[in-house]
Amino acid sequence: MRITAIRCLAGICMSCFVTAPALAQSARSAFVPGRGIELTQVGDDFEDPSWEYIPNNPKSTEDINEEQNTPIGKSKNGRWFEGIKRGHPDVVERVDTPPGGLPGSQGALLLQSLHTGIPNRPSHQMHQEDFIGNVQYQLGGPIGISQAPSVTTRVYLPPIDQWEHRSGPHFAFRAALETDVPKFNPKRFLVSAKKRDEEGIYWPGLFIILESKHDTGKEHDFAYFRVRADQSGGDTKGPQITSTGWWTLGMSFSTDGMVHYYAKPGVEDLSEADYITSQFPYGYRCERFRAFFYNVVNGDDGRNWTTPWVVDDPKMFVTTSGRIASRR
């Protein structure tokens, strides 16, 4: 199903957005996600008919009322767990792979939620929930940036009339990264370069945004990607989504600490042509990769479910072998 554009993307041609020389110059370290050595200890293909998620409800709502509600939800195969800050989607269910998926794929994962805030207490405000790929616990620790990790996933975008009729973010594919931030010395009012021992965690990613005709009064819906984040911490507007169905998303993390973003329609592997942008989010240089995860988002009104997102074949790679890459 096509989504008709109703305006230009901030006046920027999409082909220029992806291939502009200025972006290429700022991203000499960019590399395509999905190349190198696959870390088979993490990720999933959802092909096991007995795949199951154990929610251990009530889910966590720490971001709202400081209630973690442990024990947290986990998948039986140990590869997924509930976000302790915001909880998991109400529906985490293996389903038949929607049409047009990866060749041979029989199973994928449905992520959908009604109560993204506190269950049965609608806030009528936008909330999100996390479904987290278990990386650092499966591998015995985070992955150092020297191994140049990358992650990829396939995401099924249902027909636009099945989306929640709300403008704003609806879904995200993100990473949890670590950097060592300088420790502030209140006596000297200086930042000591020798005291970079405070762990800083940040969460860049690719968001799917909808400008709904039900809100805007326009004739058509308008969907696009938004990249989090640039050096100042602001989001960057990315490519327009002109068709629903399967998309392939990816992020790579080069040894200079930069994050590189890619997306394309279909399920074929990513290539250089699918490059979007490269950033040092919040001005940070990535030093360690902790996890990848999905967000589902809605207006938490107790009536309207999130869009029914289906994901498949999330994978993680490194470009250089090492302690973690060699583990099985």
Side-chain angles (χ1 to χ4, degrees), residues 29-31 35 39 135 139 141-151 175-180 196 200 202 204 251-260 279-281 284-291 316-325:
S29 60
F31 65 97
R35 297 185 178 179
L39 301 184
V135 174
L139 300 177
I143 297 176
I145 196 63
S146 63
Q147 290 190 261
S150 68
V151 290
L177 307 181
E178 298 178 5
T179 190
D180 294 325
R196 295 178 60 83
Y202 58 111
M251 291 177 283
S252 58
F253 311 88
S254 50
T255 56
D256 60 2
M258 205 171 202
V259 183
H260 313 280
Q279 302 288 341
F280 289 110
Y284 292 157
R285 292 180 181 270
C286 173
E287 298 185 30
R288 293 170 296 278
F289 182 101
R290 175 178 284 201
M316 183 160 195
F317 302 81
V318 291
T319 58
T320 59
S321 61
R323 175 185 63 84
I324 293 176

Side-chain angles (χ1 to χ4, degrees), residues 221-233:
D221 294 295
F222 183 80
Y224 60 95
F225 287 101
R226 192 167 71 195
V227 176
R228 180 162 298 172
D230 62 20
Q231 187 158 336
S232 65

